[in-house]
Amino acid sequence: MPDFAQHHVEVGVFIALFFGVAILGFAAAKWRRPASFNDLDSWGLGNRSFGPYVSWFLLGGDLYTAYTFVALPTLVYGVGALGFYAVPFAVVAYPLGYVALTRLWSVAHVHGLVTPADFVRARFGSRGLALLVAVCGIAASMPYIALQLVGVEAVLATLGVPGKWPLLVAFTVLAVFTYHSGLRAPALISFVKDILLGYVVLAVLLTVAMNFNGWAGVFRAADLHYNATPSKADGLILPASGQLGYVTLALGSALAIFLYPHAITGVLAAKNRETVRRTIAAMPIYTAMLGVVALLGFVAIAWDIKPVGGDRNTVLPALLHGLLPEWLAGFAFAAIGVGALVPASVMSIATANLFARNIYREYLRPNASLAAELRVSKIASLLVKLGAVGVILLLNPQFSVDLQLIGGVVILQTLPAVGLGLYTSWFHRRALVIGLLTGLVVGVVMLYQIPQLAANGKVVRPHFGGSSWSLANIGIHNGQSIYVGLIALAVNLVVCLALTPILRNLRHRDGVDITWSHDYEADEGDPSVRRMAELVDGGPMTPVRYEQAVPRHGRPTGRASTEDYRVRR
């Protein structure tokens, strides 16, 4: 184990930057603070007022987490080319999100929606479906928050910091400034995180170029390493047997990423549709940076880095310690630490909003005031972080990885209701409920059948050992596997498509869709938009209400046109 005394420069830089960022998080409460700060819009969505630059940094810090930057080089270090799946999945995700998320922004602003479950409630008129979407979002986010602790823990292990108490201190600080400042805190901190990370990536690129005979030497060393391992699944080039699993994993991850509540929260905080478009169009800059960070797995092989204490999550911190000057390594460690604060903060806010809006207010206290709803959300955000710390302190960190693996499959099952719901309300609400539950059951059963294998092919753990389901389970022995989430989603969609006409023929009542086609195109300045940019710094907020709810597939009645169906309170 490393000696803490040998890392005093790195530790000093890490602590100074970490607590400097914490102070910034507290100060964020006064940044563009509106006259009223007593509802979820102001605390949990920054009053929906963030422009392109703030939104870009916030969404980048939200999606490209500390665990991502630690785990991806670790995966490449262990298996080679397969670890790069995260790069093409991001390339696929942004074109999909570019159109869909602008529609979500518009309908959410027209109706004052805060969570994806709010949208499902408005679109399909189903409390039960909204509850399911909320529970799926919470279940998928909880282990994701815990995984941010894994990134911080890897840094502390490399620095030789003894005990678990620093983790508790770090996330206590996170909990307090998130409670105090809401979404403004991670939005402001994300600027610091990305500047630090960009500087470190540039330094690593230059350092590698001047060592190992450049990148050619790095690839040569990695190739020799993989050729010497007993595994047939690793290597600089993806083996034929891994191609189906690689493609389906990338596609499934691309479909799932913007279904996570924290990603949707980052999008809904933008001030207009153009901000959403510009933010997503510029997100591939992060993907390019992620690709460079993934290459550090090969650099770790060339540098002959050994994991600290056998924990492979320490590969990247150990490499940065050996590769960079001490003061710059301290910057890098701080970037990872701060990179945990931003997504963990947004995830806890998004999860707490789901509980406050779609469980507490919907089922426990329907007449709760906006202030009471906000108070519950703040308390829930503290409890979520406490649960994440408990997972790390009391359980093996690998358990968090397993839970997050299941979480990805879980959140993907909300695609028909949330993703496709942005384009059509054709699906019957009960078909969506049954399809979602069926997809969850299929996904978990298939994950249970996947063993974890060592490099020599021996079974380490018989269940929940990965997300790629071998085709050998159905008698196809070609070495190929497929991502579980896509199979479960396919079953989900088939059930929805088959049951919808059956339920309508049986005259099971549809829900009430209170959204209109114009809602999905509304922009800043439209009289129907609930939160207008000119009011974000204070002023009257008049929520939209409807004179009459219209059943789906029905016609508006008692109106001259569909354009004057809204009135103000």
Side-chain angles (χ1 to χ4, degrees):
M1 293 293 290
D3 184 1
F4 174 75
Q6 296 176 356
H7 298 273
H8 60 278
V9 174
E10 293 156 308
V11 172
V13 173
F14 176 82
I15 291 175
L17 287 173
F18 191 89
F19 281 99
V21 163
I23 293 172
L24 188 64
F26 284 104
K30 298 181 179 180
W31 174 47
R32 298 193 67 188
R33 186 185 180 100
S36 175
F37 197 62
N38 62 350
D39 61 11
L40 288 186
D41 262 16
S42 57
W43 180 80
L45 290 179
N47 253 82
R48 309 183 192 245
S49 63
F50 296 154
Y53 296 110
V54 177
S55 295
W56 184 73
F57 278 105
L58 174 62
L59 198 57
D62 186 15
L63 299 180
Y64 294 87
T65 68
Y67 183 72
T68 299
F69 285 112
V70 168
L72 194 57
T74 300
L75 185 59
V76 171
Y77 176 89
V79 300
L82 179 62
F84 282 90
Y85 84 92
V87 178
F89 113 58
V91 172
V92 173
Y94 297 132
L96 295 175
Y98 184 86
V99 177
L101 293 174
T102 54
R103 293 177 63 83
L104 179 61
W105 182 93
S106 293
V107 70
H109 277 57
V110 169
H111 294 274
L113 310 178
V114 175
T115 69
D118 281 351
F119 166 70
V120 169
R121 179 79 165 89
R123 183 62 150 163
F124 297 101
S126 172
R127 298 174 73 215
L129 181 60
L131 176 63
L132 271 177
V133 170
V135 170
C136 286
I138 294 171
S141 298
M142 284 290 290
Y144 219 154
I145 300 171
L147 285 182
Q148 306 316 307
L149 284 166
V150 173
V152 178
E153 191 175 42
V155 167
L156 296 176
T158 305
L159 293 175
V161 178
K164 299 281 189 178
W165 63 268
L167 281 178
L168 194 57
V169 171
F171 268 69
T172 299
V173 171
L174 166 68
V176 174
F177 75 62
T178 301
Y179 186 95
H180 179 66
S181 303
L183 195 65
R184 285 174 171 77
L188 201 55
I189 291 172
S190 62
F191 281 83
V192 179
K193 172 249 184 184
D194 291 333
I195 291 170
L196 286 173
L197 186 63
Y199 184 71
V200 170
V201 168
L202 178 61
V204 169
L205 282 174
L206 295 175
T207 303
V208 172
M210 294 183 291
N211 291 279
F212 317 113
N213 296 318
W215 285 99
V218 169
F219 291 127
R220 191 160 40 247
D223 190 39
L224 291 172
H225 168 79
Y226 293 128
N227 288 335
T229 63
S231 175
K232 295 181 180 180
D234 59 17
L236 284 179
I237 299 176
L238 193 68
S241 60
Q243 292 173 3
L244 180 60
Y246 182 91
V247 171
T248 55
L249 177 59
L251 177 59
S253 300
L255 293 173
I257 186 63
F258 285 115
L259 295 171
Y260 277 100
H262 62 278
I264 290 176
T265 295
V267 170
L268 296 187
K271 70 177 183 178
N272 54 35
R273 286 167 63 92
E274 184 61 22
T275 293
V276 176
R277 292 193 187 101
R278 291 171 64 181
T279 298
I280 296 175
M283 289 304 291
I285 296 173
Y286 279 102
T287 305
M289 189 183 300
L290 184 66
V292 173
V293 172
L295 288 174
L296 296 184
F298 294 149
V299 177
I301 293 172
W303 194 264
D304 196 27
I305 295 295
K306 303 299 180 186
V308 176
D311 180 6
R312 282 200 167 188
N313 287 318
T314 61
V315 165
L316 179 62
L319 171 66
L320 295 173
H321 167 69
L323 194 65
L324 302 175
E326 289 185 330
W327 65 271
L328 188 52
F331 269 75
F333 295 153
I336 295 173
V338 175
L341 297 185
V342 173
S345 180
V346 181
M347 289 172 191
S348 65
I349 289 171
T351 304
N353 288 347
L354 281 169
F355 177 80
R357 285 291 290 251
N358 307 114
I359 298 177
Y360 172 75
R361 187 160 193 168
E362 186 73 34
Y363 290 94
L364 303 179
R365 194 180 172 192
N367 297 321
S369 66
L370 294 178
E373 183 182 60
L374 173 60
R375 189 162 53 250
V376 169
S377 187
K378 284 184 171 183
I379 294 171
S381 74
L382 294 176
L383 295 177
V384 164
K385 296 184 192 72
L386 183 62
V389 173
V391 169
I392 294 298
L393 295 181
L394 303 177
L395 302 173
N396 188 319
Q398 181 60 41
F399 185 66
S400 300
V401 179
D402 296 337
L403 288 177
Q404 202 278 325
L405 180 69
I406 298 173
V409 176
V410 168
I411 202 66
L412 193 54
Q413 305 316 306
T414 64
L415 178 66
V418 179
L420 298 183
L422 290 170
Y423 296 93
T424 179
S425 60
W426 178 81
F427 292 107
H428 195 284
R429 56 178 179 170
R430 292 183 180 176
L432 287 168
V433 169
I434 296 171
L436 193 155
L437 292 173
T438 304
L440 290 177
V441 171
V442 170
V444 172
V445 168
M446 293 179 72
L447 287 170
Y448 182 81
Q449 296 174 348
I450 301 172
Q452 183 182 28
L453 303 178
N456 57 9
K458 291 185 178 180
V459 176
V460 176
R461 190 175 63 246
H463 308 297
F464 298 111
S467 60
S468 292
W469 188 75
S470 174
L471 296 183
N473 288 301
I474 55 174
I476 303 175
H477 298 281
N478 58 0
Q480 297 283 358
S481 59
I482 188 169
Y483 177 53
V484 166
L486 277 186
I487 300 176
L489 176 61
V491 173
N492 183 348
L493 285 171
V494 168
V495 171
C496 291
L497 290 169
L499 285 183
T500 292
I502 294 174
L503 289 170
R504 290 213 173 99
N505 286 333
L506 294 174
R507 302 201 179 277
H508 284 274
R509 188 167 59 89
D510 266 312
V512 175
D513 180 7
I514 66 169
T515 70
W516 294 67
S517 58
H518 173 74
D519 298 347
Y520 296 87
E521 303 296 331
D523 203 352
E524 180 185 23
D526 188 297
S528 64
V529 172
R530 184 170 181 252
R531 291 291 186 257
M532 300 168 66
E534 57 266 30
L535 299 178
V536 297
D537 292 318
M541 296 296 182
T542 54
V544 171
R545 69 178 175 86
Y546 290 83
E547 294 184 74
Q548 178 180 357
V550 180
R552 290 188 295 128
H553 311 298
R555 296 180 180 178
T557 58
R559 300 185 184 87
S561 72
T562 59
E563 291 302 316
D564 53 12
Y565 70 95
R566 300 182 184 86
V567 297
R568 295 284 181 179
R569 283 177 180 164

PDB file of all heavy atoms in Angstrom, residues 193-220:
ATOM      1  N   LYS A 193     -14.449  21.701 -12.795  1.00  0.00           N
ATOM      2  CA  LYS A 193     -14.150  20.290 -13.078  1.00  0.00           C
ATOM      3  C   LYS A 193     -13.645  20.106 -14.501  1.00  0.00           C
ATOM      4  O   LYS A 193     -12.632  19.435 -14.750  1.00  0.00           O
ATOM      5  CB  LYS A 193     -15.397  19.455 -12.822  1.00  0.00           C
ATOM      6  CG  LYS A 193     -15.272  17.998 -13.263  1.00  0.00           C
ATOM      7  CD  LYS A 193     -16.162  17.705 -14.449  1.00  0.00           C
ATOM      8  CE  LYS A 193     -16.127  16.254 -14.854  1.00  0.00           C
ATOM      9  NZ  LYS A 193     -16.923  15.976 -16.053  1.00  0.00           N
ATOM     10  N   ASP A 194     -14.306  20.732 -15.466  1.00  0.00           N
ATOM     11  CA  ASP A 194     -13.941  20.519 -16.862  1.00  0.00           C
ATOM     12  C   ASP A 194     -12.664  21.242 -17.246  1.00  0.00           C
ATOM     13  O   ASP A 194     -11.902  20.768 -18.087  1.00  0.00           O
ATOM     14  CB  ASP A 194     -15.097  20.942 -17.766  1.00  0.00           C
ATOM     15  CG  ASP A 194     -16.284  20.016 -17.647  1.00  0.00           C
ATOM     16  OD1 ASP A 194     -16.078  18.842 -17.311  1.00  0.00           O
ATOM     17  OD2 ASP A 194     -17.425  20.462 -17.862  1.00  0.00           O
ATOM     18  N   ILE A 195     -12.430  22.403 -16.640  1.00  0.00           N
ATOM     19  CA  ILE A 195     -11.160  23.100 -16.885  1.00  0.00           C
ATOM     20  C   ILE A 195      -9.998  22.270 -16.354  1.00  0.00           C
ATOM     21  O   ILE A 195      -8.975  22.096 -17.021  1.00  0.00           O
ATOM     22  CB  ILE A 195     -11.191  24.496 -16.247  1.00  0.00           C
ATOM     23  CG1 ILE A 195     -12.182  25.390 -17.005  1.00  0.00           C
ATOM     24  CG2 ILE A 195      -9.800  25.117 -16.251  1.00  0.00           C
ATOM     25  CD1 ILE A 195     -12.463  26.718 -16.326  1.00  0.00           C
ATOM     26  N   LEU A 196     -10.138  21.738 -15.149  1.00  0.00           N
ATOM     27  CA  LEU A 196      -9.107  20.882 -14.578  1.00  0.00           C
ATOM     28  C   LEU A 196      -8.872  19.646 -15.449  1.00  0.00           C
ATOM     29  O   LEU A 196      -7.728  19.295 -15.760  1.00  0.00           O
ATOM     30  CB  LEU A 196      -9.500  20.436 -13.166  1.00  0.00           C
ATOM     31  CG  LEU A 196      -9.405  21.460 -12.036  1.00  0.00           C
ATOM     32  CD1 LEU A 196      -9.987  20.875 -10.757  1.00  0.00           C
ATOM     33  CD2 LEU A 196      -7.961  21.876 -11.812  1.00  0.00           C
ATOM     34  N   LEU A 197      -9.964  19.007 -15.845  1.00  0.00           N
ATOM     35  CA  LEU A 197      -9.857  17.779 -16.621  1.00  0.00           C
ATOM     36  C   LEU A 197      -9.224  18.030 -17.984  1.00  0.00           C
ATOM     37  O   LEU A 197      -8.350  17.276 -18.432  1.00  0.00           O
ATOM     38  CB  LEU A 197     -11.238  17.154 -16.786  1.00  0.00           C
ATOM     39  CG  LEU A 197     -11.278  15.787 -17.460  1.00  0.00           C
ATOM     40  CD1 LEU A 197     -10.533  14.753 -16.636  1.00  0.00           C
ATOM     41  CD2 LEU A 197     -12.722  15.345 -17.676  1.00  0.00           C
ATOM     42  N   GLY A 198      -9.641  19.105 -18.654  1.00  0.00           N
ATOM     43  CA  GLY A 198      -9.063  19.426 -19.959  1.00  0.00           C
ATOM     44  C   GLY A 198      -7.570  19.693 -19.869  1.00  0.00           C
ATOM     45  O   GLY A 198      -6.795  19.255 -20.727  1.00  0.00           O
ATOM     46  N   TYR A 199      -7.150  20.399 -18.826  1.00  0.00           N
ATOM     47  CA  TYR A 199      -5.733  20.695 -18.636  1.00  0.00           C
ATOM     48  C   TYR A 199      -4.929  19.416 -18.398  1.00  0.00           C
ATOM     49  O   TYR A 199      -3.844  19.229 -18.968  1.00  0.00           O
ATOM     50  CB  TYR A 199      -5.568  21.643 -17.453  1.00  0.00           C
ATOM     51  CG  TYR A 199      -4.156  22.096 -17.208  1.00  0.00           C
ATOM     52  CD1 TYR A 199      -3.523  22.983 -18.074  1.00  0.00           C
ATOM     53  CD2 TYR A 199      -3.440  21.630 -16.107  1.00  0.00           C
ATOM     54  CE1 TYR A 199      -2.219  23.389 -17.850  1.00  0.00           C
ATOM     55  CE2 TYR A 199      -2.136  22.036 -15.874  1.00  0.00           C
ATOM     56  CZ  TYR A 199      -1.525  22.916 -16.751  1.00  0.00           C
ATOM     57  OH  TYR A 199      -0.236  23.319 -16.533  1.00  0.00           O
ATOM     58  N   VAL A 200      -5.495  18.526 -17.592  1.00  0.00           N
ATOM     59  CA  VAL A 200      -4.811  17.271 -17.289  1.00  0.00           C
ATOM     60  C   VAL A 200      -4.700  16.395 -18.537  1.00  0.00           C
ATOM     61  O   VAL A 200      -3.646  15.789 -18.809  1.00  0.00           O
ATOM     62  CB  VAL A 200      -5.525  16.518 -16.155  1.00  0.00           C
ATOM     63  CG1 VAL A 200      -4.977  15.105 -15.997  1.00  0.00           C
ATOM     64  CG2 VAL A 200      -5.388  17.284 -14.843  1.00  0.00           C
ATOM     65  N   VAL A 201      -5.784  16.300 -19.321  1.00  0.00           N
ATOM     66  CA  VAL A 201      -5.752  15.478 -20.540  1.00  0.00           C
ATOM     67  C   VAL A 201      -4.699  15.997 -21.500  1.00  0.00           C
ATOM     68  O   VAL A 201      -3.937  15.219 -22.107  1.00  0.00           O
ATOM     69  CB  VAL A 201      -7.148  15.453 -21.206  1.00  0.00           C
ATOM     70  CG1 VAL A 201      -7.068  14.862 -22.612  1.00  0.00           C
ATOM     71  CG2 VAL A 201      -8.120  14.644 -20.361  1.00  0.00           C
ATOM     72  N   LEU A 202      -4.610  17.320 -21.654  1.00  0.00           N
ATOM     73  CA  LEU A 202      -3.588  17.902 -22.524  1.00  0.00           C
ATOM     74  C   LEU A 202      -2.188  17.574 -22.017  1.00  0.00           C
ATOM     75  O   LEU A 202      -1.296  17.208 -22.803  1.00  0.00           O
ATOM     76  CB  LEU A 202      -3.776  19.417 -22.600  1.00  0.00           C
ATOM     77  CG  LEU A 202      -2.760  20.187 -23.447  1.00  0.00           C
ATOM     78  CD1 LEU A 202      -2.806  19.719 -24.900  1.00  0.00           C
ATOM     79  CD2 LEU A 202      -3.012  21.691 -23.364  1.00  0.00           C
ATOM     80  N   ALA A 203      -1.984  17.657 -20.714  1.00  0.00           N
ATOM     81  CA  ALA A 203      -0.674  17.342 -20.136  1.00  0.00           C
ATOM     82  C   ALA A 203      -0.307  15.883 -20.365  1.00  0.00           C
ATOM     83  O   ALA A 203       0.846  15.561 -20.687  1.00  0.00           O
ATOM     84  CB  ALA A 203      -0.679  17.656 -18.634  1.00  0.00           C
ATOM     85  N   VAL A 204      -1.280  14.992 -20.227  1.00  0.00           N
ATOM     86  CA  VAL A 204      -1.023  13.563 -20.439  1.00  0.00           C
ATOM     87  C   VAL A 204      -0.671  13.301 -21.891  1.00  0.00           C
ATOM     88  O   VAL A 204       0.266  12.533 -22.199  1.00  0.00           O
ATOM     89  CB  VAL A 204      -2.252  12.729 -20.013  1.00  0.00           C
ATOM     90  CG1 VAL A 204      -2.105  11.295 -20.484  1.00  0.00           C
ATOM     91  CG2 VAL A 204      -2.420  12.776 -18.502  1.00  0.00           C
ATOM     92  N   LEU A 205      -1.376  13.923 -22.810  1.00  0.00           N
ATOM     93  CA  LEU A 205      -1.084  13.736 -24.241  1.00  0.00           C
ATOM     94  C   LEU A 205       0.349  14.138 -24.565  1.00  0.00           C
ATOM     95  O   LEU A 205       1.072  13.414 -25.268  1.00  0.00           O
ATOM     96  CB  LEU A 205      -2.063  14.554 -25.082  1.00  0.00           C
ATOM     97  CG  LEU A 205      -3.467  14.006 -25.276  1.00  0.00           C
ATOM     98  CD1 LEU A 205      -4.341  15.021 -26.002  1.00  0.00           C
ATOM     99  CD2 LEU A 205      -3.431  12.695 -26.056  1.00  0.00           C
ATOM    100  N   LEU A 206       0.761  15.284 -24.045  1.00  0.00           N
ATOM    101  CA  LEU A 206       2.115  15.754 -24.310  1.00  0.00           C
ATOM    102  C   LEU A 206       3.153  14.854 -23.647  1.00  0.00           C
ATOM    103  O   LEU A 206       4.206  14.555 -24.232  1.00  0.00           O
ATOM    104  CB  LEU A 206       2.272  17.196 -23.811  1.00  0.00           C
ATOM    105  CG  LEU A 206       1.424  18.250 -24.539  1.00  0.00           C
ATOM    106  CD1 LEU A 206       1.567  19.607 -23.871  1.00  0.00           C
ATOM    107  CD2 LEU A 206       1.829  18.334 -26.006  1.00  0.00           C
ATOM    108  N   THR A 207       2.857  14.393 -22.437  1.00  0.00           N
ATOM    109  CA  THR A 207       3.794  13.532 -21.719  1.00  0.00           C
ATOM    110  C   THR A 207       3.989  12.200 -22.441  1.00  0.00           C
ATOM    111  O   THR A 207       5.103  11.711 -22.587  1.00  0.00           O
ATOM    112  CB  THR A 207       3.305  13.285 -20.281  1.00  0.00           C
ATOM    113  OG1 THR A 207       3.125  14.534 -19.619  1.00  0.00           O
ATOM    114  CG2 THR A 207       4.305  12.441 -19.510  1.00  0.00           C
ATOM    115  N   VAL A 208       2.882  11.612 -22.893  1.00  0.00           N
ATOM    116  CA  VAL A 208       2.964  10.337 -23.599  1.00  0.00           C
ATOM    117  C   VAL A 208       3.710  10.499 -24.910  1.00  0.00           C
ATOM    118  O   VAL A 208       4.517   9.636 -25.306  1.00  0.00           O
ATOM    119  CB  VAL A 208       1.559   9.759 -23.844  1.00  0.00           C
ATOM    120  CG1 VAL A 208       1.621   8.529 -24.748  1.00  0.00           C
ATOM    121  CG2 VAL A 208       0.897   9.403 -22.524  1.00  0.00           C
ATOM    122  N   ALA A 209       3.463  11.613 -25.606  1.00  0.00           N
ATOM    123  CA  ALA A 209       4.124  11.849 -26.890  1.00  0.00           C
ATOM    124  C   ALA A 209       5.643  11.935 -26.744  1.00  0.00           C
ATOM    125  O   ALA A 209       6.385  11.623 -27.686  1.00  0.00           O
ATOM    126  CB  ALA A 209       3.596  13.128 -27.528  1.00  0.00           C
ATOM    127  N   MET A 210       6.100  12.332 -25.554  1.00  0.00           N
ATOM    128  CA  MET A 210       7.537  12.479 -25.326  1.00  0.00           C
ATOM    129  C   MET A 210       8.154  11.249 -24.666  1.00  0.00           C
ATOM    130  O   MET A 210       9.338  11.236 -24.349  1.00  0.00           O
ATOM    131  CB  MET A 210       7.804  13.706 -24.454  1.00  0.00           C
ATOM    132  CG  MET A 210       7.441  15.023 -25.135  1.00  0.00           C
ATOM    133  SD  MET A 210       7.832  16.491 -24.164  1.00  0.00           S
ATOM    134  CE  MET A 210       6.648  16.354 -22.821  1.00  0.00           C
ATOM    135  N   ASN A 211       7.347  10.207 -24.434  1.00  0.00           N
ATOM    136  CA  ASN A 211       7.834   8.978 -23.817  1.00  0.00           C
ATOM    137  C   ASN A 211       7.373   7.770 -24.624  1.00  0.00           C
ATOM    138  O   ASN A 211       6.544   7.892 -25.537  1.00  0.00           O
ATOM    139  CB  ASN A 211       7.317   8.866 -22.378  1.00  0.00           C
ATOM    140  CG  ASN A 211       7.934   9.906 -21.460  1.00  0.00           C
ATOM    141  OD1 ASN A 211       9.040   9.742 -20.989  1.00  0.00           O
ATOM    142  ND2 ASN A 211       7.217  10.995 -21.238  1.00  0.00           N
ATOM    143  N   PHE A 212       7.859   6.618 -24.291  1.00  0.00           N
ATOM    144  CA  PHE A 212       7.447   5.339 -24.885  1.00  0.00           C
ATOM    145  C   PHE A 212       7.643   5.306 -26.403  1.00  0.00           C
ATOM    146  O   PHE A 212       7.006   4.535 -27.105  1.00  0.00           O
ATOM    147  CB  PHE A 212       5.948   5.037 -24.635  1.00  0.00           C
ATOM    148  CG  PHE A 212       5.468   5.321 -23.260  1.00  0.00           C
ATOM    149  CD1 PHE A 212       4.559   6.329 -23.011  1.00  0.00           C
ATOM    150  CD2 PHE A 212       5.930   4.583 -22.189  1.00  0.00           C
ATOM    151  CE1 PHE A 212       4.105   6.587 -21.737  1.00  0.00           C
ATOM    152  CE2 PHE A 212       5.479   4.837 -20.903  1.00  0.00           C
ATOM    153  CZ  PHE A 212       4.575   5.832 -20.675  1.00  0.00           C
ATOM    154  N   ASN A 213       8.478   6.171 -26.964  1.00  0.00           N
ATOM    155  CA  ASN A 213       8.577   6.310 -28.423  1.00  0.00           C
ATOM    156  C   ASN A 213       7.246   6.742 -29.016  1.00  0.00           C
ATOM    157  O   ASN A 213       6.856   6.319 -30.110  1.00  0.00           O
ATOM    158  CB  ASN A 213       9.033   4.999 -29.077  1.00  0.00           C
ATOM    159  CG  ASN A 213      10.426   4.600 -28.646  1.00  0.00           C
ATOM    160  OD1 ASN A 213      11.314   5.460 -28.564  1.00  0.00           O
ATOM    161  ND2 ASN A 213      10.628   3.326 -28.339  1.00  0.00           N
ATOM    162  N   GLY A 214       6.534   7.593 -28.283  1.00  0.00           N
ATOM    163  CA  GLY A 214       5.249   8.093 -28.754  1.00  0.00           C
ATOM    164  C   GLY A 214       4.157   7.051 -28.603  1.00  0.00           C
ATOM    165  O   GLY A 214       4.307   6.016 -27.957  1.00  0.00           O
ATOM    166  N   TRP A 215       3.018   7.324 -29.239  1.00  0.00           N
ATOM    167  CA  TRP A 215       1.882   6.424 -29.130  1.00  0.00           C
ATOM    168  C   TRP A 215       2.134   5.082 -29.811  1.00  0.00           C
ATOM    169  O   TRP A 215       1.545   4.073 -29.426  1.00  0.00           O
ATOM    170  CB  TRP A 215       0.631   7.078 -29.727  1.00  0.00           C
ATOM    171  CG  TRP A 215       0.062   8.127 -28.823  1.00  0.00           C
ATOM    172  CD1 TRP A 215       0.235   9.471 -28.894  1.00  0.00           C
ATOM    173  CD2 TRP A 215      -0.743   7.902 -27.661  1.00  0.00           C
ATOM    174  NE1 TRP A 215      -0.409  10.114 -27.868  1.00  0.00           N
ATOM    175  CE2 TRP A 215      -1.035   9.170 -27.101  1.00  0.00           C
ATOM    176  CE3 TRP A 215      -1.259   6.765 -27.053  1.00  0.00           C
ATOM    177  CZ2 TRP A 215      -1.812   9.325 -25.954  1.00  0.00           C
ATOM    178  CZ3 TRP A 215      -2.043   6.919 -25.918  1.00  0.00           C
ATOM    179  CH2 TRP A 215      -2.307   8.172 -25.371  1.00  0.00           C
ATOM    180  N   ALA A 216       3.006   5.062 -30.803  1.00  0.00           N
ATOM    181  CA  ALA A 216       3.327   3.784 -31.458  1.00  0.00           C
ATOM    182  C   ALA A 216       3.919   2.809 -30.450  1.00  0.00           C
ATOM    183  O   ALA A 216       3.597   1.611 -30.447  1.00  0.00           O
ATOM    184  CB  ALA A 216       4.291   4.007 -32.616  1.00  0.00           C
ATOM    185  N   GLY A 217       4.777   3.322 -29.556  1.00  0.00           N
ATOM    186  CA  GLY A 217       5.357   2.467 -28.522  1.00  0.00           C
ATOM    187  C   GLY A 217       4.313   1.979 -27.535  1.00  0.00           C
ATOM    188  O   GLY A 217       4.369   0.839 -27.057  1.00  0.00           O
ATOM    189  N   VAL A 218       3.317   2.830 -27.232  1.00  0.00           N
ATOM    190  CA  VAL A 218       2.238   2.445 -26.322  1.00  0.00           C
ATOM    191  C   VAL A 218       1.429   1.283 -26.906  1.00  0.00           C
ATOM    192  O   VAL A 218       1.175   0.274 -26.244  1.00  0.00           O
ATOM    193  CB  VAL A 218       1.313   3.649 -26.032  1.00  0.00           C
ATOM    194  CG1 VAL A 218       0.052   3.193 -25.304  1.00  0.00           C
ATOM    195  CG2 VAL A 218       2.039   4.700 -25.213  1.00  0.00           C
ATOM    196  N   PHE A 219       1.030   1.416 -28.187  1.00  0.00           N
ATOM    197  CA  PHE A 219       0.234   0.365 -28.817  1.00  0.00           C
ATOM    198  C   PHE A 219       1.026  -0.936 -28.963  1.00  0.00           C
ATOM    199  O   PHE A 219       0.483  -2.028 -28.828  1.00  0.00           O
ATOM    200  CB  PHE A 219      -0.275   0.835 -30.175  1.00  0.00           C
ATOM    201  CG  PHE A 219      -1.308   1.923 -30.091  1.00  0.00           C
ATOM    202  CD1 PHE A 219      -1.160   3.109 -30.793  1.00  0.00           C
ATOM    203  CD2 PHE A 219      -2.427   1.765 -29.293  1.00  0.00           C
ATOM    204  CE1 PHE A 219      -2.110   4.109 -30.716  1.00  0.00           C
ATOM    205  CE2 PHE A 219      -3.389   2.760 -29.204  1.00  0.00           C
ATOM    206  CZ  PHE A 219      -3.219   3.939 -29.912  1.00  0.00           C
ATOM    207  N   ARG A 220       2.297  -0.804 -29.213  1.00  0.00           N
ATOM    208  CA  ARG A 220       3.127  -1.999 -29.346  1.00  0.00           C
ATOM    209  C   ARG A 220       3.213  -2.748 -28.024  1.00  0.00           C
ATOM    210  O   ARG A 220       3.080  -3.977 -27.977  1.00  0.00           O
ATOM    211  CB  ARG A 220       4.524  -1.596 -29.843  1.00  0.00           C
ATOM    212  CG  ARG A 220       5.408  -2.760 -30.274  1.00  0.00           C
ATOM    213  CD  ARG A 220       6.544  -2.335 -31.191  1.00  0.00           C
ATOM    214  NE  ARG A 220       7.151  -1.072 -30.791  1.00  0.00           N
ATOM    215  CZ  ARG A 220       7.070   0.042 -31.497  1.00  0.00           C
ATOM    216  NH1 ARG A 220       6.363   0.065 -32.623  1.00  0.00           N
ATOM    217  NH2 ARG A 220       7.663   1.149 -31.083  1.00  0.00           N
TER     218      ARG A 220
END
